[in-house]
Amino acid sequence: MPIAVFDFDGTIISRDSLPDFLIRTCGRTAFILRLPLIIILKLTALTGILSTHRAKELVFSSFLRGMSVADFRQACLRYAARIPELVYPAALEEIRKHQEKGDKVVIISASVPDWIRPWAETVGIRQVEGTELEVEGGVLTGRFSTPNCKGTEKVRRLRKLYPDVISETLYVYGDSSGDKELLAIADVPHYKPFNKRQR
C-alpha cells in the first residue's frame, strides 16, 4: 500500500506553527520580550555552538516550562481550531486524494504533535509524529522527550512506523532542509508543492 508523508509547517500550513502557537498561548508581549533570546539561540544553532535540538528546547522552555499538562492540552485544542484557516487548500486536496485511493497518510513534523493531532483527526489522519515533550508530575519540564524530529530523525520515525516502507511506493511532501532526507528516499518527492499556488 502506498505511503504519503507530509511535513506540516510550511507544507500543509502557510507558516511555522511553533512561534504562532507561542504567541497565541502566551501573548504577543511575552513573545516580543523573548525575541532577543530567540534570535540569539537561532544564531547559536546556525553557527553550531548549540545543537538545533537544544536551542529549540531552550526557546520552548522559556515559554512553557512549569505549565500543567491539562492547561497545555487546552491550549493545543484552541490552537488546533485555528489551523483550518492556515491550511493550503491544495494540500488538503492532495491529502484527500491519497485517502480516497486508500494510501496510508502520515504527518511527520519537527513541531510538537500535540497541537497537530486534534486537527489531523478531523481530516482523517491518525498517524502524527513530531518532537515530543517531557512531562514530570503533571507539568511540562521544558525539555523534549524525543530528538528534534527533523532530517534523519524523520526517516527514523517513518521506518519505525512502517518497517516495510522500502517495499512500498513512498510519496513525500516537504518544504525545507529538514525534509531533504525524507525527500531523498521518496519514490515520488514533492518539494514546496503547495505554497507556490494561490491560497
Side-chain angles (χ1 to χ4, degrees):
M1 185 181 294
I3 302 167
V5 180
F6 289 79
D7 171 53
F8 188 68
D9 301 323
T11 300
I12 291 178
I13 66 171
S14 60
R15 64 192 63 195
D16 184 346
S17 63
L18 175 57
D20 197 42
F21 173 82
L22 293 175
I23 290 168
R24 295 273 165 174
T25 301
C26 303
R28 191 169 297 276
T29 300
F31 189 85
I32 291 171
L33 288 173
R34 290 169 175 81
L35 197 53
L37 172 66
I38 293 169
I39 292 169
I40 290 168
L41 289 171
K42 188 174 181 67
L43 288 173
T44 59
L46 288 172
T47 56
I49 296 170
L50 279 179
S51 67
T52 304
H53 174 103
R54 184 57 179 152
K56 181 176 173 181
E57 194 175 55
L58 287 169
V59 170
F60 195 89
S61 179
S62 73
F63 285 91
L64 298 177
R65 182 179 56 191
M67 177 181 274
S68 73
V69 171
D71 287 345
F72 178 65
R73 285 175 179 162
Q74 285 303 310
C76 289
L77 289 173
R78 286 194 299 271
Y79 187 75
R82 166 175 164 73
I83 289 174
E85 68 188 77
L86 306 177
V87 172
Y88 288 116
L92 189 55
E93 181 182 348
E94 193 76 0
I95 288 168
R96 285 174 174 155
K97 284 180 181 177
H98 280 290
Q99 290 171 329
E100 287 167 3
K101 290 191 298 181
D103 299 345
K104 299 172 184 174
V105 178
V106 58
I107 294 172
I108 303 182
S109 172
S111 280
V112 176
D114 299 73
W115 59 75
I116 301 173
R117 287 185 180 119
W119 170 81
E121 289 174 1
T122 68
V123 296
I125 299 174
R126 301 285 179 258
Q127 295 283 1
V128 179
E129 291 287 318
T131 307
E132 301 283 356
L133 303 180
E134 183 182 80
V135 175
E136 288 182 359
V139 301
L140 305 182
T141 66
R143 295 185 295 270
F144 299 144
S145 63
T146 65
N148 188 25
C149 191
K150 64 180 293 187
T152 55
E153 178 65 11
K154 287 196 171 189
V155 176
R156 191 189 73 80
R157 299 289 189 93
L158 176 63
R159 287 178 172 156
K160 185 177 178 181
L161 283 175
Y162 304 111
D164 59 345
V165 64
I166 196 168
S167 65
E168 307 290 356
T169 301
L170 178 63
Y171 297 81
V172 173
Y173 300 82
D175 79 307
S176 72
S177 59
D179 301 311
K180 67 180 182 180
E181 287 85 354
L182 266 180
L183 289 162
I185 66 169
D187 299 294
V188 189
H190 295 276
Y191 181 68
K192 294 186 176 181
F194 311 121
N195 53 8
K196 295 175 183 176
R197 308 181 199 178
Q198 195 72 23
R199 293 189 76 240

